[in-house]
Amino acid sequence: MDALPEDQLPNSIGGRIRAARKSLGLNQGGLAARLGVSQPTVANWEADVHNPRQLMLAKLSEALEVSLGWLAGGNSTERLSPDHPAATYLARGVTHVPVLPPETLTDRQSLKSRTAHCTAIDYVPVSLDTTSLFGVMLDPGPYAAIFPGTPLFIFDFERIAPEPDLFALIQTEDGPVLHGWTTSLAPLPSGEVLGTLTAAIRYF
C-alpha cells in the first residue's frame, strides 16, 4: 500500500488495518480467514477496542501487504528526511524476540537452533541490530536493587564472553540465574553462559 497524504493518514492501528484491508478489496471476514481469527476480532481491532498482539501485528502486515512499521506507527519514516536524527532509527527493522519460560531453557545450542521458539509464550518487538535475542521473565535475585520486581530481560546468545559492567544469564543445575560480571553481590555460579543482557523491561 502506498504512503497516504499527511491529511489522510489514519491515526490509529485500527484505522490503518481498515485502510489497508479496503485497499486490497477485502472484507473483514476475508481478512479474518487469512489470519485464522474470527470476523468480530478484526472488527474490534478496526474499532480500536483493543490492539493486536505483537506477533499478530507481524501476521497482519504480511496479510495486508504493508510494512510492520507503517502498520504500527504510520508513515513517519517516509515523512522524515534522510538526515533527520530519527530517520535511521525509525527505518531500522523490528525484531520479534521470543519470550521463553525460564524452566524451558537448557543450553545455548537450543537457542541457536531456534527450537526454543516452540516454547515461546509471547514475543516483544525490539529495534536492535541483531537477531540472536531471547527474552525471559526472571527473578533478579541479589540484583533486585538494580532490577526491581520481575523484569523481562532480553539476552543475546551470541555474546557469552565476560564484559565489564554487564550481566549474563547462566544456566545452573538449579535453573537460569542472572550474574553481574564485575559486581561482588554474588559469586560466579557454575554453569553454561546462555547470553549477555542487552535490555531489561519493567512492567507496571
Side-chain angles (χ1 to χ4, degrees):
M1 182 172 142
D2 295 332
L4 294 173
E6 179 93 20
D7 60 354
Q8 296 180 29
L9 178 66
N11 60 6
S12 69
I13 291 176
R16 289 187 286 276
I17 292 172
R18 183 186 307 108
R21 173 180 61 77
K22 289 184 175 180
S23 76
L24 293 176
L26 285 173
N27 58 26
Q28 290 181 343
L31 177 57
R34 286 190 180 191
L35 298 169
V37 300
S38 66
Q39 180 273 327
T41 296
V42 174
N44 284 337
W45 290 337
E46 294 188 356
D48 292 312
V49 173
H50 58 78
N51 288 334
R53 295 174 70 95
Q54 291 94 340
L55 184 58
M56 184 55 70
L57 269 178
K59 293 180 179 179
L60 274 163
S61 71
E62 182 177 350
L64 294 171
E65 301 174 19
V66 297
S67 73
L68 183 59
W70 181 87
L71 191 61
N75 285 340
S76 56
T77 57
E78 293 156 320
R79 296 198 302 272
L80 295 175
S81 63
D83 58 348
H84 189 283
T88 300
Y89 170 77
L90 292 173
R92 191 163 56 191
V94 173
T95 299
H96 293 272
V97 177
V99 178
L100 310 174
E103 63 272 14
T104 65
L105 296 175
T106 55
D107 53 36
R108 280 185 66 240
Q109 186 55 44
S110 66
L111 296 168
K112 295 175 72 173
S113 66
R114 307 296 179 178
T115 57
H117 282 264
C118 298
T119 62
I121 55 175
D122 203 350
Y123 286 80
V124 292
V126 298
S127 184
L128 294 172
D129 293 323
T130 178
T131 58
S132 53
L133 303 176
F134 66 98
V136 60
M137 301 284 287
L138 195 67
D139 182 343
Y143 307 104
I146 303 172
F147 304 106
T150 305
L152 170 61
F153 293 103
I154 306 295
F155 296 94
D156 184 344
F157 61 72
E158 291 293 356
R159 294 170 58 191
I160 59 171
E163 298 183 47
D165 302 321
L166 294 183
F167 292 81
L169 185 67
I170 299 180
Q171 180 66 25
T172 71
E173 291 183 355
D174 298 321
V177 296
L178 189 67
H179 176 70
W181 288 121
T182 54
T183 70
S184 59
L185 295 176
L188 175 64
S190 175
E192 181 184 14
V193 178
L194 299 181
T196 294
L197 182 66
T198 61
I201 304 170
R202 184 183 178 193
Y203 291 93
F204 294 92

